[in-house]
Amino acid sequence: MTGPTRIIAGNWKMNGTGESLDEARAVAEALAQSPAAVRVALCPPATLIWRMKEALGAGPVEIGGQDCHAEREGAYTGDVSAEMLTDAGARLVILGHSERRAMHGETDAFVAAKVRAALSAGLEPIICVGETLAEREAGQAEQIVERQLLASLPEALAGQAFAVAYEPVWAIGTGRVAEPADIATMHAHIRAVLARHLGDSGDRAPILYGGSVKPSNAAETLSVPEVGGALVGGASLKASDFLGIIRAA
Ligand code: 13P
C-alpha cells in the first residue's frame, strides 16, 4: 500500500543539555549503518537545535522545534520565531501540543497563526490535536478533535507538506496507550476531516499517534490503519528506546 511517508518524531520536551547530544548521535549513527524505513526527526529544546544540527549534519535525522511564535520578530520576551528555528537548522516544528494548549493557554486560532508563520519560514508543521479524558468519557472525543482540526489548520496548508499528531491528553506520559480500535476510529475521522478541508494535501498528510509510545507497543500501534508514524515523548530521550520504535515502524 502506498500512503504518506511515515514519520517517527521524538519530542524531547524540556529535557536535555549538551550531554544528551550523545543520544542523538547514537540514533544517527545507527540509522547511517542501517537506514530506517521511515523519516526520523528529533525535536530538542530550542537551546539544542543548532548544536544538534552541528553534531548530526545532513544525516538521516531531521531536526525540529517544539513551538514557534506567530510573529516574525519583535517584543516577545522569551519566544522564538519560525525564522529563528529555520536559521538554527530545523526543518519541522511541533505546534499546538496539548501541554502548550493547557499550560500556555494556546487557542486554536493562535495555533493556526503559528502554522502560517511556520509555513512562511519553510518549516513543516506537525499540528497536535487530542481530547482530554473527561471529553472522551463524555463521548465527545471525535467532535472535539474535529473542532480543533478545523480551527487550527489554516487554508494556507493546502498544497503544503505537514503532519497531524493525534495525542489523546490522557495517554501522554501516563503509560496508557489508546486501544487500537479507538486509534483506528479517530485516525479515520481525522483523515476524512483533512481530505474534506484541504483536498489532496489533506489526503497525503501523515497522521501520527502520540501518547506513551514505547518499543513494546510500537509495532501494534503503528500497524493500525491510517497511523502514519508516531510522536514520541519520554521514549525518545534514550537512543536504544527510540531506535526500538523506529525499527518497529
Ligand atoms: P509520551 O511519549 O512521554 O507519553 O509523550 C507523548 C507526547 O506528548 C509527544 O509529543
Side-chain angles (χ1 to χ4, degrees):
M1 188 184 92
T2 56
T5 307
R6 302 203 296 163
I7 307 176
I8 304 293
N11 174 8
W12 280 12
K13 308 192 179 187
M14 199 175 74
N15 296 291
T17 54
E19 284 177 10
S20 325
L21 294 173
D22 288 345
E23 300 296 328
R25 271 190 213 96
V27 171
E29 278 160 22
L31 298 182
Q33 283 184 7
S34 171
V38 292
R39 284 174 71 189
V40 174
L42 280 174
C43 304
T47 48
L48 287 180
I49 291 176
W50 172 250
R51 290 175 73 182
M52 190 179 279
K53 183 69 194 166
E54 292 242 293
L56 306 189
V61 177
E62 298 175 53
I63 298 172
Q66 298 175 12
D67 177 46
C68 70
H69 199 277
E71 298 295 332
R72 283 180 68 98
E73 60 194 5
Y76 303 100
T77 302
D79 279 313
V80 172
S81 74
E83 281 74 15
M84 291 169 186
L85 295 179
T86 310
D87 182 52
R91 276 201 55 182
L92 303 122
V93 62
I94 299 169
L95 293 173
H97 192 281
S98 62
E99 285 152 15
R100 295 210 58 89
R101 291 176 184 265
M103 297 176 212
H104 295 262
E106 291 195 6
T107 61
D108 292 329
F110 196 33
V111 174
K114 290 175 178 222
V115 173
R116 279 189 220 98
L119 294 175
S120 308
L123 292 170
E124 188 174 328
I126 301 175
I127 305 144
C128 304
V129 293
E131 81 286 356
T132 63
L133 188 57
E135 288 162 345
R136 173 155 290 272
E137 285 175 346
Q140 295 171 342
E142 288 176 48
Q143 206 179 313
I144 294 287
V145 166
E146 176 164 348
R147 200 201 62 215
Q148 287 177 339
L149 284 170
L150 293 176
S152 308
L153 272 58
E155 306 271 331
L157 279 170
Q160 304 284 339
F162 70 97
V164 167
Y166 168 56
E167 299 205 304
V169 176
W170 47 271
I172 295 176
T174 57
R176 216 181 132 183
V177 185
E179 292 297 324
D182 290 336
I183 298 176
T185 303
M186 185 61 87
H187 279 233
H189 186 62
I190 292 173
R191 175 64 69 211
V193 174
L194 290 180
R196 200 169 69 226
H197 186 51
L198 295 166
D200 281 355
S201 27
D203 261 339
R204 278 195 308 269
I207 306 170
L208 317 187
Y209 171 81
S212 299
V213 176
K214 306 211 167 353
S216 56
N217 58 34
E220 184 181 30
T221 304
L222 289 163
S223 65
V224 173
E226 286 292 8
V227 171
L231 186 54
V232 184
S236 69
L237 295 169
K238 283 260 156 281
S240 52
D241 287 345
F242 194 48
L243 284 164
I245 294 169
I246 293 165
R247 298 303 184 201

